[in-house]
């Protein structure tokens, strides 16, 4: 009898494949409260690498890290009407503490615009205090009705940036900078995911914002996944919290603001964009373990050589782990590392030692070949290439995107497992509402040349339409 596959094949049931992968690649387990998750060490290692790459880009954009409380007075959220209306169904509210009913309920942070503005209004006094550029790495809670590990969880980890500026133009340009130089650069060049950068429609944008910029990825089953957003808040929160500054001319003026965020959803995007029937495929620039050196058998000489190779590769700048757990069968360990998507495996056994070689197994693009031991250190950095992943991501999106002329054709394209592009002037808000009845959404608006429109009604805008996770 043939052995059953380790993972449900993607072609049979993509959501089940994803659920299998999250568990068997040891990314996460379900938490004890519905919709929560326990992120396991390998999954958290991916998040740490994402943090490092994003944090460097955020700081390059001039923002500094801070931290704001998890508990927010409920009254703060009611000050900005659109904001509270948008988040009301997702709020978790604390009514008791220390055995007593609280005088005012506290909301567990769904996002921090309100509490940040409470303090921005204290910290900003003069034009000299601007721009104020703050980021925080934290958790957030949004009560999720249809949870899915990493993609939609009641509690998730993220970064959220909040800024205040003297003028509309400065705030607009900073939101664009984060969208392009932080998020798009990271997602394309580190995650190797071919994202579409665009503008959300008024129906889809962030509650309380005047503009939302988004990055949308196509998953392996042709759906869309929002990867990160950058919002222009205008003066909505500044007005609600009276966040003003004294201008050079001696006049009191409201600040202009942005907020922006990305989360552990990116781990799910990584799996759904690059994973195959054998497991994850992690881009080398992101991988916490770029190469694993596997001792095939419990032989002292083999284990010693595996450790020596590990030290040599580490000195060459490769993030490496040595697997000398020879009390576990080699086949099982090989499958485990394949599930985890480690880009390279260096396998060493007694016969390899005799030949002065090791077997080099490449997760991307696949295949194996013997390599001389004395050539490994020079070879490995050169084969840690992720261009193939980005190219496959781009080719999938392009081949699964259809240009259409009616809302009905857009629904058909989405139902067939792909995206559709339709002129926004043809679709409009009325057509968008018809799509929503079929669980299809306008993911973003893009220009005819692929640029990001500078207005909701910019001429020539194209609506990118899909079903989404």
């Amino acid at each position: 009898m043939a052995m059953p596959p380790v993972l449900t094949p993607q072609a049979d049931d993509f959501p089940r494949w994803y659920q299998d992968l999250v568990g068997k690649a040891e990314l996460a387990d379900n938490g004890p409260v519905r919709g929560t998750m326990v992120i396991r060490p390998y999954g958290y290692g991916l998040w740490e690498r994402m943090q490092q790459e994003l944090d460097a880009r955020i700081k390059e954009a001039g923002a500094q890290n801070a931290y704001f409380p998890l508990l927010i007075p409920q009254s703060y959220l009611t000050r900005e009407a659109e904001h509270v209306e948008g988040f009301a169904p997702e709020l978790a509210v604390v009514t008791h503490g220390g055995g007593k009913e609280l005088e005012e309920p506290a909301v567990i942070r769904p996002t921090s615009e309100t509490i940040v503005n409470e303090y921005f209004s204290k910290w900003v006094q003069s034009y000299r205090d601007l721009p104020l550029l703050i980021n925080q790495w934290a958790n957030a809670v949004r009560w999720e009705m249809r949870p899915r590990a990493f993609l939609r969880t009641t509690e998730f980890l993220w970064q959220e940036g909040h800024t205040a500026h003297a003028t509309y133009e400065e705030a607009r340009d900073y939101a664009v900078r984060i969208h392009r130089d932080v998020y798009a650069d990271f997602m394309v060049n580190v995650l190797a995911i071919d994202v579409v950068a665009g503008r959300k429609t008024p129906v889809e944008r962030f509650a309380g914002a005047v503009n939302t910029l988004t990055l949308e990825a196509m998953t392996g089953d042709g759906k869309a996944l929002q990867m990160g957003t950058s919002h222009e808040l205008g003066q909505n929160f500044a007005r609600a919290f009276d966040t003003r500054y004294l201008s050079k001319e001696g006049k009191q003026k409201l600040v202009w603001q942005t907020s922006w965020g990305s989360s552990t959803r990116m781990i799910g995007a990584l799996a759904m964009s690059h994973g195959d029937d054998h497991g994850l495929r992690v881009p080398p620039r992101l991988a916490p373990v770029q190469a694993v050196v596997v001792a095939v058998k419990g032989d002292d000489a083999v284990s010693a050589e595996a450790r020596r190779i590990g030290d040599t590769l580490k000195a060459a700048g490769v993030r490496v782990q040595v697997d000398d757990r020879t009390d576990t069968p080699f086949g099982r360990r090989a499958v485990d590392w394949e599930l985890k998507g480690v880009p390279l495996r260096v396998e060493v056994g007694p016969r390899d030692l005799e030949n002065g070689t090791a077997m080099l197994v490449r997760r991307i693009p696949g295949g194996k070949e013997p390599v001389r031991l004395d050539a490994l250190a020079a070879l490995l950095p050169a084969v840690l290439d992720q261009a193939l992943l980005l190219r496959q991501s781009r080719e999938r999106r392009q081949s699964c995107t259809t240009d259409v002329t009616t809302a009905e054709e857009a629904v058909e394209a989405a139902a067939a497992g792909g995206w559709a592009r339709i002129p926004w002037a043809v679709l409009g808000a009325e057509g968008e509402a018809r799509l929503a009845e079929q669980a299809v959404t306008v993911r973003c608006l893009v220009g005819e040349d692929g640029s990001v429109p500078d207005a909701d009604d910019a001429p020539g805008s194209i609506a990118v339409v899909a079903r989404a996770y």
Side-chain angles (χ1 to χ4, degrees), residues 76 79 113-122 241 243:
Y76 283 19
R79 297 192 201 177
E113 279 77 8
T114 57
I115 194 166
V116 165
N117 265 279
E118 175 72 13
Y119 287 87
F120 274 19
S121 65
K122 296 179 181 180
F241 286 82
T243 310

Side-chain angles (χ1 to χ4, degrees), residues 26 292-299 302-303 306-307 321-338 340 345:
E26 298 181 340
V292 58
V293 183
V294 183
V296 174
K297 291 185 176 180
D299 178 291
V302 168
S303 296
R307 289 190 290 271
Q321 182 170 331
V322 174
D323 181 355
D324 55 2
R325 301 168 298 154
T326 52
D327 54 342
T328 299
F330 168 73
R332 177 173 176 177
R333 288 183 289 144
V335 169
D336 284 347
W337 288 115
E338 195 163 63
K340 288 180 166 64
R345 223 166 51 237

